[in-house]
Amino acid sequence: RLRLHTEAETRTMNTKHGTFMSTNAGKTETLAEYTDTAILTLFDKMSSYYTNLEVTVPVTAYVVPDLFNAIVNQALATTSKGSTVNIDRNTINDFKGFKIVKEPEKYFSTGTPANTKDVAYFAADGILLPFVGVTTARTIEAEEFDGVALQVAARGGTFILDDNKAALGKVTMTTA
């Protein structure tokens, strides 16, 4: 039961982390469509941005599934260019210098106005500090069945230094 509770809490915290990243992003870019040209332009802009910030640690791009698939299907993602894309397994580890991680859409914020949504978060590794602390875990007599129930109280959040917010980026897209 503790494992199941932890997994559910992790999903809840992932949604909160997405909102935190969206709110605190120091750089915002817009992606008009999932075309090769638009995606290449986006990643070139982000590469220049992080290079000019002099970020020396790896940067991870957390992307929605549709953007992930468009990156995997990129015309430039070929072995002749040294890419390690695997169409059979629908995987790609890196693209244009960024580690690519596919995340469910529910972890990304909807924007303002309401017809925009976040489709990617770029973060220099180690600048976000998510935390969860269990303050109490105990068993109590269960009322709906014979036995005991697990009760857990926890607190959590995310922290980023103000100076590091510049190394946090988001990509928005207008929806229909």
Side-chain angles (χ1 to χ4, degrees), residues 66-78:
D66 289 341
L67 179 54
F68 181 84
N69 290 330
I71 293 168
V72 169
N73 296 335
Q74 263 284 333
L76 290 180
T78 65

Side-chain angles (χ1 to χ4, degrees), residues 92-171:
I92 188 166
N93 296 328
D94 299 284
F95 185 72
K96 301 287 283 179
F98 297 97
K99 179 181 175 189
I100 306 297
V101 177
K102 177 174 55 171
E103 294 290 348
E105 284 188 31
K106 68 181 180 179
Y107 297 158
F108 293 82
S109 290
T110 54
T112 304
N115 67 332
T116 63
K117 63 179 181 176
D118 294 351
V119 294
Y121 298 127
F122 287 77
D125 291 357
I127 65 166
L128 287 171
L129 300 172
F131 58 91
V132 174
V134 175
T135 55
T136 303
R138 65 183 178 185
T139 58
I140 59 172
E141 290 296 322
E143 294 179 9
E144 57 274 345
F145 61 89
D146 189 23
V148 295
L150 180 64
Q151 189 177 55
V152 177
R155 292 185 150 211
T158 307
F159 175 77
I160 187 172
L161 291 170
D162 287 338
D163 291 346
N164 287 341
K165 288 180 181 179
L168 185 59
K170 72 176 176 178
V171 178

Side-chain angles (χ1 to χ4, degrees), residues 5 12 24 28 40 49 56 58 60 75 78 86 92 124 143-144 153 157 166 170:
H5 179 76
T12 301
N24 290 284
T28 301
L40 285 174
Y49 178 73
T56 58
T60 301
T78 65
N86 185 324
I92 188 166
E143 294 179 9
E144 57 274 345
K170 72 176 176 178

Side-chain angles (χ1 to χ4, degrees), residues 18-36:
T19 302
F20 182 86
M21 291 173 82
S22 182
T23 303
N24 290 284
K27 172 77 170 168
T28 301
E29 287 291 336
T30 302
L31 183 65
E33 55 191 352
Y34 294 128
T35 63
D36 285 3

